[in-house]
Amino acid sequence: MKWNGWGYNDSKFIFNKKGQAEFTGKRYRLGGMVLPTFKEWIEKTFGASLEHKTTSRASLNVNDVPPSIVNEEFLQDLRATKISYSQDAEDRVFRAHGHCLHEIFVLREGMFKRIPDIVVWPVCHEDVVKIVELACKHNLCIIPFGGGTSVSSALECPEEEKRTIVSLDTSQMLAESGFCTGHEPDSMEFSSLGGWVATRASGMKKNIYGNIEDLVIHIKMVTPRGIVEKNCQVPRMSTGPDIHHFIMGSEGTLGVVTEVTIKIRPLPEYQKYGSVVFPNFERGVACLREVAKQVKKSWMLASLKNTNFSTRRVLMVQCFWQLITKGFLSLQFKGFDPNILCVATLLFEGDREKVLQHEKQVYDIATKFGGLAAGEDNGQRGYMLTFVIAYLRDLGLDYYVIGESFETSVPWDRVLDLCRNVKERIVRECKEKGVQFAPLSTCRVTQTYDAGACVYFYFAFNYRGISDPIHVYEQIERAAREEILANGGSLSHHHGVGKLRKRWMKESISDVGLGMLRSVKEYVDPNNIFGNKNLL
Amino acid sequence: MKWNGWGYNDSKFIFNKKGQAEFTGKRYRLGGMVLPTFKEWIEKTFGASLEHKTTSRASLNVNDVPPSIVNEEFLQDLRATKISYSQDAEDRVFRAHGHCLHEIFVLREGMFKRIPDIVVWPVCHEDVVKIVELACKHNLCIIPFGGGTSVSSALECPEEEKRTIVSLDTSQMLAESGFCTGHEPDSMEFSSLGGWVATRASGMKKNIYGNIEDLVIHIKMVTPRGIVEKNCQVPRMSTGPDIHHFIMGSEGTLGVVTEVTIKIRPLPEYQKYGSVVFPNFERGVACLREVAKQVKKSWMLASLKNTNFSTRRVLMVQCFWQLITKGFLSLQFKGFDPNILCVATLLFEGDREKVLQHEKQVYDIATKFGGLAAGEDNGQRGYMLTFVIAYLRDLGLDYYVIGESFETSVPWDRVLDLCRNVKERIVRECKEKGVQFAPLSTCRVTQTYDAGACVYFYFAFNYRGISDPIHVYEQIERAAREEILANGGSLSHHHGVGKLRKRWMKESISDVGLGMLRSVKEYVDPNNIFGNKNLL
């Protein structure tokens, strides 16, 4: 795994000797593929130049890393448990962050002021119980670590924390299985089941399988107050407020999720990708809404992504997609204006007959909204892209381009207004904050519900000439979030709150709502052992 | 509405002059229908005799009713708000109970020790805010009242409550609409939206439309601490633990739900009923499980009810169904043993083509499990029965037959064991507790999920010769609940906890889970204004 970027060491975007962009390694279907026009795109879109390269440190300088301060009594108790642990700088730094832009930027350019003092690797529920007991005994701070893929500053250590910080890494606790859960967040290669529960995760196939709250049957959590769990593994119950919902979304503030019973299914008999091109974003959104209404909870329609070509510039993903499809979606695509057309990718899973039925149904609806079928290949590439897109930011960072995606959920009748207003706000804010080059500001619809949709925004700019690019970036992202909230969007559809979006919690769930969450925290963890300071 | 039984005054089962059972009134499709063999059935099944009739009081004796104690200062403040109220005995008694057996028995034979002192009828959110403020100011106890259909003792006033008890009746707050929500609990004629939220309700069509938690988009609740609500009406969000789930299931202990945004749909284009007879309960359950697996979240399969013929005696519902279908399901039905066959009723809703597809799919699966199609009429009658079955208990009570239904949820692999063990336990307990006549003890599967099912038990017996029948009844029901829990069933699938099932809360959601609920209660309502003593 990379120490200062996304994913595996062998997998990354580079410019090869011919100056062409290329994705390295053999893990992904895109591995080894050359993207002949990418260089031109990044230059045009961001005003970036391959001659202006930033200088990221190639490896971690151990001398920069804050020392590990762990008292000997605790270490003695810990050794007695036989639980693996490490005080190495690399291990601690890896668990000091998620994948927010500012976190990765710090790794490339500086160092975190506070990181975990020690990493522990429990292998079972009982190990976690022992660690929590020791933390209570020695008054330590525990920060649970799943896969480290959060984009909410959830894993950042509070700078002012004086106690020893224990990073509790649950990666050794996952049992293998030969079935599928159907839960496929973009981070699925790296994130963890416990993390999905703690953050209320959502996956690309949620239209078939549901979000994490639809998949979970039973949760066991270890807290300083003791173990919390239900006494049965039933599909649904009414025994007061559902305590699973006290745990899901708690973001490591209450305890450690040690066991989850999750629905599994036989692998689908048949899969079919697809794609549709719409003349514009508005028609695409209207089509998705109609599909959500007609197909409702149909278990066939897995991923219905609407990728918007911004009117000003071509969306990063979309452009990339064009490149890899080698001009399939040529700019003259069936008479659509290339600057405003948009594309939906489709994936159907299930038994063959039903898949074909649903495929027909969706294409019939799409036709009514001016959509044109754009082939299975494009659909499949679009879907695969979800897994490599996270690698793209690292390439941008090499050339002064910083960027991030962020998401929201919104009722159907506000999708278009919200998308337009947020994109415009980003552009306006960039100008006001002195960004020299026009930014990339675009969005897509990634998940659909009967009552609304999840929308992702992509925002990136060239920061040459700006002395504190991360601060500027964060100010603009903050303004974008204000705009989202003002337009009836939520604080987060599935990324969660962490520390990054904490300031809006009261506004989002009301004073009393926040007080309810705090009252649970105070009861379960009165000494704030789980002191990551997320959420509350 | 009846003052001491279920539903409308004009709708009830009686024995007419010829000694034949008949359902009165014109509200229901069954109105005016004569059930020629019902008398024989009730005599045979329970050893009941039409000559031994209990003497229930015909009307409420106002002198029996505890006086209304309300201080004048509060009344003055209340009058200033212009909110309607009543201190009449009838109004107060009607809101002093739900529809547990013991509650109805008390109405017929005695009187509650404690009832609300005053009933108030707010018409809007602001009225509720005023009432809660007055209750805080004058230190009163508020018990929210939706439709009064609970079967968990949720509405019973704590006998030891010394403060004035205000019954806050929300029935004047519901807005009308021309759409359908698809939420159809058996009590839907009488229960309320706020009540559905407060109890985590489930409906007969949940396979199409979902349970209440799937239908709700936004909730506003007034608590002594203030108003709690989210700032947006989105289909899904991840902003910490979902506060809707702190409210759903809170059973009136935290505040009053004043506004709910719920999904609506156009009325379905097409509806089709159906039914299938299986050779036995085991095959029926296996079929339902397969349907749940294959059809998954299909929006077509609304209600899949499996009505079990007990091996010892015929199920009340089933018998009744036989009677009204005039022998259609004759005892020689296609070679099945009438003592062990079982029947599933089906309802498909949606567009015509999809309904027909799904119907075929379900019947194809049923065939594999030895099921035989038994017609649309039977399906429709079975479905309609759900609404009149609650009236049947009142008839039994006239002839010394007391009974109740209670429910649970259970994983698929434990359905059969749980059903068998609970039915046997009931029979055994009856014997041990001195019940003279063999009881009716049977069950049916009423809702299905991918991971399990909801099971209803029907339990009734002739109590002649027993001095304290309600106490005996409750002891047996309690033993049945212990058996349910020991077999991996939940404390409740959708009836909720109230005061009736409170003793098992700690076992059901663990010490820490219960502590979390209590911490929320203490924060939101430190003076226990919402003092119905449910749940915690």
Short mmCIF file of all heavy atoms in Angstrom, two decimals, chain B residues 371-396:
data_model
loop_
_atom_site.label_atom_id
_atom_site.label_comp_id
_atom_site.label_asym_id
_atom_site.label_seq_id
_atom_site.Cartn_x
_atom_site.Cartn_y
_atom_site.Cartn_z
N GLY B 371 -47.64 -27.14 -3.57
CA GLY B 371 -48.79 -26.25 -3.41
C GLY B 371 -49.74 -26.33 -4.58
O GLY B 371 -49.34 -26.57 -5.71
N LEU B 372 -51.03 -26.14 -4.29
CA LEU B 372 -52.06 -26.12 -5.34
C LEU B 372 -52.80 -24.80 -5.28
O LEU B 372 -53.20 -24.34 -4.20
CB LEU B 372 -53.07 -27.25 -5.11
CG LEU B 372 -52.51 -28.68 -5.22
CD1 LEU B 372 -53.58 -29.68 -4.75
CD2 LEU B 372 -52.10 -28.99 -6.66
N ALA B 373 -52.98 -24.19 -6.43
CA ALA B 373 -53.70 -22.92 -6.48
C ALA B 373 -55.11 -23.10 -5.94
O ALA B 373 -55.77 -24.08 -6.25
CB ALA B 373 -53.74 -22.39 -7.91
N ALA B 374 -55.55 -22.18 -5.10
CA ALA B 374 -56.88 -22.31 -4.48
C ALA B 374 -57.77 -21.11 -4.76
O ALA B 374 -58.72 -20.86 -4.04
CB ALA B 374 -56.72 -22.53 -2.97
N GLY B 375 -57.43 -20.37 -5.79
CA GLY B 375 -58.37 -19.36 -6.26
C GLY B 375 -58.16 -17.96 -5.73
O GLY B 375 -57.58 -17.74 -4.67
N GLU B 376 -58.68 -17.01 -6.52
CA GLU B 376 -58.57 -15.60 -6.14
C GLU B 376 -59.50 -15.25 -4.98
O GLU B 376 -59.14 -14.49 -4.10
CB GLU B 376 -58.93 -14.70 -7.33
CG GLU B 376 -57.89 -14.66 -8.42
CD GLU B 376 -58.32 -13.76 -9.57
OE1 GLU B 376 -58.65 -12.58 -9.31
OE2 GLU B 376 -58.35 -14.25 -10.71
N ASP B 377 -60.73 -15.82 -5.03
CA ASP B 377 -61.72 -15.48 -4.01
C ASP B 377 -61.21 -15.78 -2.62
O ASP B 377 -61.37 -14.98 -1.69
CB ASP B 377 -63.01 -16.28 -4.24
CG ASP B 377 -63.93 -15.54 -5.18
OD1 ASP B 377 -63.51 -14.50 -5.73
OD2 ASP B 377 -65.07 -16.01 -5.37
N ASN B 378 -60.61 -16.94 -2.47
CA ASN B 378 -60.08 -17.29 -1.15
C ASN B 378 -59.02 -16.32 -0.71
O ASN B 378 -58.92 -15.96 0.47
CB ASN B 378 -59.51 -18.71 -1.18
CG ASN B 378 -60.61 -19.74 -1.17
OD1 ASN B 378 -61.54 -19.63 -0.39
ND2 ASN B 378 -60.52 -20.71 -2.06
N GLY B 379 -58.19 -15.90 -1.66
CA GLY B 379 -57.16 -14.93 -1.32
C GLY B 379 -57.77 -13.63 -0.85
O GLY B 379 -57.38 -13.09 0.19
N GLN B 380 -58.75 -13.17 -1.57
CA GLN B 380 -59.37 -11.90 -1.20
C GLN B 380 -60.07 -12.00 0.16
O GLN B 380 -59.93 -11.12 0.99
CB GLN B 380 -60.36 -11.47 -2.28
CG GLN B 380 -60.93 -10.08 -2.02
CD GLN B 380 -61.63 -9.50 -3.22
OE1 GLN B 380 -61.94 -10.21 -4.17
NE2 GLN B 380 -61.86 -8.20 -3.19
N ARG B 381 -60.79 -13.11 0.35
CA ARG B 381 -61.47 -13.27 1.65
C ARG B 381 -60.45 -13.34 2.79
O ARG B 381 -60.65 -12.77 3.85
CB ARG B 381 -62.32 -14.54 1.64
CG ARG B 381 -63.55 -14.39 0.78
CD ARG B 381 -64.56 -15.50 1.06
NE ARG B 381 -65.64 -15.42 0.08
CZ ARG B 381 -65.69 -16.15 -1.03
NH1 ARG B 381 -64.74 -17.02 -1.30
NH2 ARG B 381 -66.70 -16.02 -1.85
N GLY B 382 -59.38 -14.06 2.54
CA GLY B 382 -58.35 -14.17 3.58
C GLY B 382 -57.80 -12.80 3.94
O GLY B 382 -57.58 -12.48 5.11
N TYR B 383 -57.61 -11.98 2.91
CA TYR B 383 -57.07 -10.64 3.14
C TYR B 383 -58.06 -9.77 3.90
O TYR B 383 -57.71 -9.08 4.85
CB TYR B 383 -56.72 -10.03 1.79
CG TYR B 383 -55.73 -8.91 1.92
CD1 TYR B 383 -54.36 -9.19 2.04
CD2 TYR B 383 -56.14 -7.59 1.97
CE1 TYR B 383 -53.44 -8.16 2.17
CE2 TYR B 383 -55.22 -6.57 2.11
CZ TYR B 383 -53.88 -6.85 2.21
OH TYR B 383 -52.98 -5.85 2.36
N MET B 384 -59.32 -9.82 3.48
CA MET B 384 -60.37 -9.02 4.13
C MET B 384 -60.55 -9.42 5.59
O MET B 384 -60.82 -8.60 6.45
CB MET B 384 -61.71 -9.20 3.41
CG MET B 384 -61.74 -8.70 1.98
SD MET B 384 -61.23 -6.97 1.86
CE MET B 384 -60.93 -6.83 0.10
N LEU B 385 -60.39 -10.72 5.82
CA LEU B 385 -60.55 -11.25 7.17
C LEU B 385 -59.67 -10.55 8.18
O LEU B 385 -60.03 -10.40 9.35
CB LEU B 385 -60.18 -12.73 7.16
CG LEU B 385 -61.33 -13.70 7.20
CD1 LEU B 385 -60.81 -15.11 7.17
CD2 LEU B 385 -62.18 -13.46 8.45
N THR B 386 -58.51 -10.13 7.70
CA THR B 386 -57.58 -9.48 8.61
C THR B 386 -58.24 -8.32 9.33
O THR B 386 -57.92 -8.02 10.47
CB THR B 386 -56.37 -8.97 7.80
OG1 THR B 386 -56.04 -9.95 6.84
CG2 THR B 386 -55.19 -8.74 8.69
N PHE B 387 -59.16 -7.64 8.63
CA PHE B 387 -59.79 -6.48 9.24
C PHE B 387 -60.93 -6.84 10.21
O PHE B 387 -61.27 -6.06 11.07
CB PHE B 387 -60.31 -5.52 8.16
CG PHE B 387 -59.21 -4.87 7.38
CD1 PHE B 387 -58.96 -5.22 6.07
CD2 PHE B 387 -58.41 -3.90 7.98
CE1 PHE B 387 -57.94 -4.62 5.36
CE2 PHE B 387 -57.39 -3.29 7.28
CZ PHE B 387 -57.15 -3.66 5.96
N VAL B 388 -61.54 -8.02 10.01
CA VAL B 388 -62.67 -8.35 10.90
C VAL B 388 -62.30 -9.33 12.00
O VAL B 388 -63.04 -9.50 12.96
CB VAL B 388 -63.90 -8.88 10.13
CG1 VAL B 388 -64.44 -7.82 9.19
CG2 VAL B 388 -63.58 -10.16 9.40
N ILE B 389 -61.12 -9.93 11.87
CA ILE B 389 -60.77 -10.95 12.85
C ILE B 389 -60.70 -10.36 14.26
O ILE B 389 -61.03 -11.04 15.23
CB ILE B 389 -59.44 -11.66 12.47
CG1 ILE B 389 -59.23 -12.86 13.37
CG2 ILE B 389 -58.26 -10.72 12.51
CD1 ILE B 389 -58.09 -13.75 12.90
N ALA B 390 -60.33 -9.07 14.33
CA ALA B 390 -60.24 -8.45 15.65
C ALA B 390 -61.60 -8.39 16.33
O ALA B 390 -61.70 -8.32 17.56
CB ALA B 390 -59.64 -7.05 15.53
N TYR B 391 -62.67 -8.44 15.52
CA TYR B 391 -64.02 -8.42 16.10
C TYR B 391 -64.40 -9.76 16.73
O TYR B 391 -65.35 -9.84 17.50
CB TYR B 391 -65.06 -8.09 15.02
CG TYR B 391 -65.05 -6.66 14.54
CD1 TYR B 391 -64.34 -6.28 13.42
CD2 TYR B 391 -65.79 -5.68 15.22
CE1 TYR B 391 -64.35 -4.97 12.97
CE2 TYR B 391 -65.79 -4.35 14.79
CZ TYR B 391 -65.07 -4.00 13.66
OH TYR B 391 -65.09 -2.71 13.24
N LEU B 392 -63.68 -10.80 16.34
CA LEU B 392 -64.08 -12.14 16.76
C LEU B 392 -63.90 -12.36 18.25
O LEU B 392 -64.68 -13.06 18.89
CB LEU B 392 -63.24 -13.15 15.95
CG LEU B 392 -63.81 -14.53 15.69
CD1 LEU B 392 -65.21 -14.46 15.10
CD2 LEU B 392 -62.89 -15.28 14.72
N ARG B 393 -62.86 -11.72 18.80
CA ARG B 393 -62.60 -11.94 20.23
C ARG B 393 -63.77 -11.51 21.10
O ARG B 393 -64.07 -12.14 22.11
CB ARG B 393 -61.34 -11.22 20.68
CG ARG B 393 -61.00 -11.58 22.12
CD ARG B 393 -59.67 -11.02 22.56
NE ARG B 393 -59.69 -9.58 22.58
CZ ARG B 393 -58.60 -8.84 22.69
NH1 ARG B 393 -57.42 -9.43 22.77
NH2 ARG B 393 -58.67 -7.53 22.72
N ASP B 394 -64.45 -10.42 20.68
CA ASP B 394 -65.57 -9.93 21.48
C ASP B 394 -66.68 -10.98 21.57
O ASP B 394 -67.33 -11.12 22.60
CB ASP B 394 -66.12 -8.63 20.89
CG ASP B 394 -65.10 -7.49 20.98
OD1 ASP B 394 -64.29 -7.52 21.93
OD2 ASP B 394 -65.12 -6.60 20.12
N LEU B 395 -66.88 -11.72 20.48
CA LEU B 395 -67.88 -12.79 20.51
C LEU B 395 -67.46 -13.88 21.50
O LEU B 395 -68.26 -14.33 22.33
CB LEU B 395 -68.06 -13.39 19.11
CG LEU B 395 -69.12 -14.49 19.00
CD1 LEU B 395 -70.53 -13.91 19.17
CD2 LEU B 395 -69.03 -15.22 17.65
N GLY B 396 -66.20 -14.28 21.41
CA GLY B 396 -65.70 -15.30 22.33
C GLY B 396 -65.89 -14.90 23.78
O GLY B 396 -66.33 -15.70 24.62
#
